[in-house]
Every structure is written in C-alpha cells, then in structure tokens.
C-alpha cells in the first residue's frame, strides 16, 4: 500500500470508525454522504493531512494568527434589521450559486461603489444596489412576477451572470412560495420553525424546490442542502445572532458543500483526486452535475470537514462546522494560486 493509501479514510470498505449518532445528524447529511465515502473511487480523504491541518490551525491560533472571523459585511449586504432583510437574504441565497465563467472567459463582474466585484460578492452587491435604486426585492409580490429585463438590469455588469434563466425562476419561486405559505414574510417561516436552525433548513427543503440539494448516488439519495443551510447561517450572520438571527441547533449544521471548499481542502492535500479526475479539474473541464465524480467531491468535502471538526475537538480546540466552513471559504477567496476548483454547472451551489 502506498503512503496515501495507509492514511486514506476509510482504510477499507465498511470501516466502522466514526459511527454517527442520529442526534448529531438531524439533516441526514453525514449519514447519506458516509455511504458515498465507502464506495468512492475518484476522491478520497487523507487523514494524516487532516491532522496536519488541525495542528496548523491550532498553531496559528496560538501564535495569534487566527484569521479574524469577519463580521457580517454590510458594504455588500442589504441590512435594515427588519423582516425586509430576512426576505432579501432568502433571495440572496436562492441565487447564491455558480459564479464562474466558461473556460478562459473572464468572470461576470459588476461595478459597485467604485469597486469591481465578481463571484458571490458581485451577487450580493448587485442585489443591494437594486434595493438602493428603489427595487423592493424584499417584496414577495414583486418577486413572484419579476421580469427577465428587471433581473438583467439587477445583474448588469461585464459579461453575463451564469445560469441567468435559472436565477429568474428561483427569484419568482421565492415570491410565490412566500405568498402561498408565509403571507409574504420569511419571518413567519422562522417562527413556524420555532427558531430552530434544523427545522428551518428542513422547511426550506420542503417548501422551496430550488433549495432541494439532494443527489442520487448508485440509486441512493445523498443530502447536501447547501443553500438551505447557508440561508440559516446568513440570517444568523446578518442579525449578529440576535432577533431573527437567533437560532437554536446551529451547531448541528454541516459545512456548506460549495465549489471553493473542495479546492482549498485539495490544496492542503486533505482531498485527493484520482488521476483522470485531477486532470479534468485542473484543465477546467466540466464535471457533470449528478455524476459520481461530482457527488464524491462533495461527500468527501462534508466528511473531511467532519473529521477535521472531530480532530480539533479531540485536541481541545473545538470549532463548529460553520466556523470551519467560514475559515476554509475565506482561504478560498485567495485561491488564484491554488489548483482550480471543479466546474459543475448547477444551481445547487
Ligand atoms: N461554503 C461556503 N460557500 C460560500 C460561502 C459564501 C459567502 N458567505 C459568506 C459571505 C459573507 C458572510 O460572512 C457569509 O458567511 C458563498 N459561498 C459559495 O462560494 C461560491 C462562490 O465563491 P466565489 O466564486 O469565490 O465568489 C459559491 O458556490 C457560493 O455559493 C460561505 O460562507 N461558505
């Protein structure tokens, strides 16, 4: 066995380590992704490098180099402390996916407050700019029938935001579901969920189809729920954990399986890709949505972060999945020098 095979996890199929108690997996994400790990042929987790990364973070923290967890960035997020902000955040995360351009094309970008933004920050700032220009993006009735022209105006910039038609559909879905079920206010959904983070994620999965981020791998459902979970985290962040952002059970969320976390984890050699997959990713070739390769990348991301969380906890430096997520995502904001992230055209992340 090569060195990496010695430190691959699980070492052999059916490795019973890291069993999951139901209580720590209320969303069924750890359980369903665990099944993928056992069968994965294209992606694996290197446990030795997980230990190295946990020790690196502990050392950085000890040397006072812990990256400051940014407060909610109000430069690019609309925030008025009312239910309007809650609806705006739901729209933000209904459209929070897939910001990368075709191979060798420049990314879609916008100008906002004399800055050129791209990616997630361009999406957030475009939605804030629209509110500042008088568009009531917090109004469910307005969203329900929003036109393509208006959406194109909202996201005006250089290039075109990817999956534009899907974004129009998702915005309209937010509007009509809010009207049909929550009298136009997502705050009513927060109250129905009794301010429990897990219940709100499950409510989003049940009522808002565009948030149903569940794949099928070898005939079995695999749950990721990335945008549903990040919606809860973003409401918590925007309201600084108070008022509408004050949730219970937030520590039971997993990381949010986007396309930047796998890129960072691979940079730290925590994720290892089979040689043909590595070539495709490094050549920025499309990885098909729903393919075994895509699902294995996302499932291994979930479990690499769970193992990292367990390792940090064992060493007395506990971090929640959301804190691990934020730290990795921020590292991914300076990822030009890293090997590319995988390219899957999808509205789920
Ligand atoms: N796992 C995880 N994925 C996240 C975020 C965020 C932004 N949230 C923070 C921002 C302000 C608040 O502090 C929020 O905490 C965006 N994304 C995803 O990244 C991708 C976009 O990346 P790029 O192409 O580089 O812009 C895309 O899939 C997008 O959905 C996160 O936090 N975690």
């Amino acid at each position: 066995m090569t060195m990496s095979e010695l430190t691959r996890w699980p070492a052999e199929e059916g490795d019973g380590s890291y069993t999951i108690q139901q209580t720590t997996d209320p969303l069924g994400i750890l359980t369903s992704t665990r099944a993928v790990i056992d069968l994965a042929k294209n992606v694996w987790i290197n446990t030795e490098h997980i230990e190295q990364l946990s020790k690196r973070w502990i050392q950085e923290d000890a040397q006072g180099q812990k990256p400051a967890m940014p407060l909610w960035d109000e430069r690019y997020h609309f925030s008025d402390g009312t239910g309007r902000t809650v609806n705006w955040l739901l729209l933000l995360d209904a459209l929070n996916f897939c910001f990368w351009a075709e191979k060798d094309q420049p990314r879609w970008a916008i100008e906002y407050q004399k800055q050129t933004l791209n990616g997630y920050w361009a999406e957030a700032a475009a939605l804030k700019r629209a509110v500042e220009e008088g568009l009531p993006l917090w109004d469910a009735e307005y969203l329900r029938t929003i036109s393509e022209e208006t959406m194109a105006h909202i996201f005006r910039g250089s290039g075109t935001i990817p999956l534009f038609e899907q974004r129009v559909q998702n915005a309209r879905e937010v509007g009509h579901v809010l009207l049909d079920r929550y009298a136009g206010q997502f705050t009513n959904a927060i109250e129905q969920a009794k301010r429990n983070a897990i219940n709100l994620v499950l409510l989003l999965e049940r009522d808002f189809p565009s948030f149903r981020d569940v794949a099928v791998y070898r005939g079995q459902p695999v749950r990721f729920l990335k945008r549903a979970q990040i919606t809860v985290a973003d409401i918590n962040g925007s309201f600084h954990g108070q008022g509408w952002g004050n949730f219970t059970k937030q520590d039971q969320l997993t990381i949010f399986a986007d396309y930047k976390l796998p890129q960072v984890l691979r940079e730290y050699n925590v994720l290892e890709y089979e040689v043909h997959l590595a070539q495709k990713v490094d050549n920025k070739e499309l990885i098909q949505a729903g393919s075994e390769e895509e699902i294995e990348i996302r499932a291994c991301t979930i479990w690499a972060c769970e193992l990292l969380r367990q390792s940090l906890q064992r060493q007395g430096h506990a971090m929640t999945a959301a804190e691990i997520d934020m730290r990795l995502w921020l590292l991914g904001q300076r990822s030009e020098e890293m090997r590319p992230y995988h390219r899957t055209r999808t509205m789920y992340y």
Side-chain angles (χ1 to χ4, degrees), residues 24-229:
T24 59
D25 185 34
L27 295 172
I29 294 174
L30 292 175
T31 306
S32 62
T33 49
R34 181 74 178 77
V36 175
I37 311 286
D38 281 332
L39 298 170
K41 294 278 182 286
N42 302 288
V43 185
W44 50 90
I45 296 168
N46 184 311
T47 50
E48 183 200 337
H49 294 146
I50 284 184
E51 292 310 307
Q52 280 177 9
L53 181 56
S54 68
K55 287 176 171 44
R56 177 190 180 119
W57 281 6
I58 291 169
Q59 198 175 29
E60 283 172 1
D61 296 359
Q63 291 164 353
Q65 294 163 355
K66 177 171 188 160
M69 287 298 146
L71 285 176
W72 187 257
D73 191 330
E74 304 204 345
R75 283 177 302 169
Y76 307 129
H77 291 114
F78 169 69
S79 173
D80 73 347
T82 75
R84 286 181 168 188
T85 295
V86 175
N87 277 9
W88 185 89
L89 290 164
L90 177 63
L91 177 66
L92 171 76
D93 284 317
L95 309 179
N96 183 1
F97 55 85
C98 196
F99 299 110
W100 44 269
E102 291 301 323
K103 187 171 178 178
D104 304 331
Q105 296 297 315
R107 277 191 161 202
W108 163 72
I110 75 161
E111 295 301 315
Y112 178 70
Q113 292 191 348
K114 298 190 180 50
Q115 291 211 297
T116 302
L117 302 168
N118 70 63
Y120 168 80
W121 292 114
E123 185 228 344
L127 294 174
K128 182 180 180 193
R129 177 177 66 180
V131 169
E132 289 167 344
E133 292 173 347
L135 302 188
L137 294 188
W138 60 73
D139 179 334
E141 184 58 56
Y142 181 81
L143 293 179
R144 191 172 62 81
T145 59
I146 196 164
S147 70
E148 289 204 4
E149 292 70 26
T150 301
M151 285 287 281
H153 179 71
I154 290 169
F155 290 118
R156 68 188 182 278
S158 57
T160 308
I161 190 168
L163 299 179
F164 175 74
E165 288 72 23
Q166 188 64 59
R167 295 184 206 270
V168 175
Q169 279 179 43
N170 288 15
R172 290 172 179 165
E173 176 184 282
V174 165
H176 88 246
V177 175
L178 281 179
L179 286 170
D180 291 354
R181 302 179 72 107
Y182 297 104
Q185 302 305 327
F186 196 58
T187 49
N188 291 330
I190 294 175
E191 288 183 333
Q192 190 177 114
K194 297 184 175 41
R195 296 169 185 265
N196 173 308
I198 301 303
N199 292 348
L200 193 57
V201 169
L202 294 172
L203 179 152
L204 279 162
E205 176 190 12
R206 184 190 68 197
D207 296 345
F208 294 84
S210 89
F211 284 78
R212 279 182 205 145
D213 178 9
V214 182
V216 177
Y217 182 84
R218 314 247 179 115
Q220 297 303 316
V222 185
R223 298 167 59 75
F224 295 106
L225 299 178
K226 180 256 177 189
R227 287 199 287 104
Q229 293 193 92

Side-chain angles (χ1 to χ4, degrees), residues 96 107 119-120 226 256 258-260 325-326 329 333:
N96 183 1
R107 277 191 161 202
Y120 168 80
K226 180 256 177 189
F256 318 127
D258 72 326
Y259 53 83
K260 298 306 277 296
D325 178 278
M326 172 77 80
W329 191 76
Q333 287 306 289

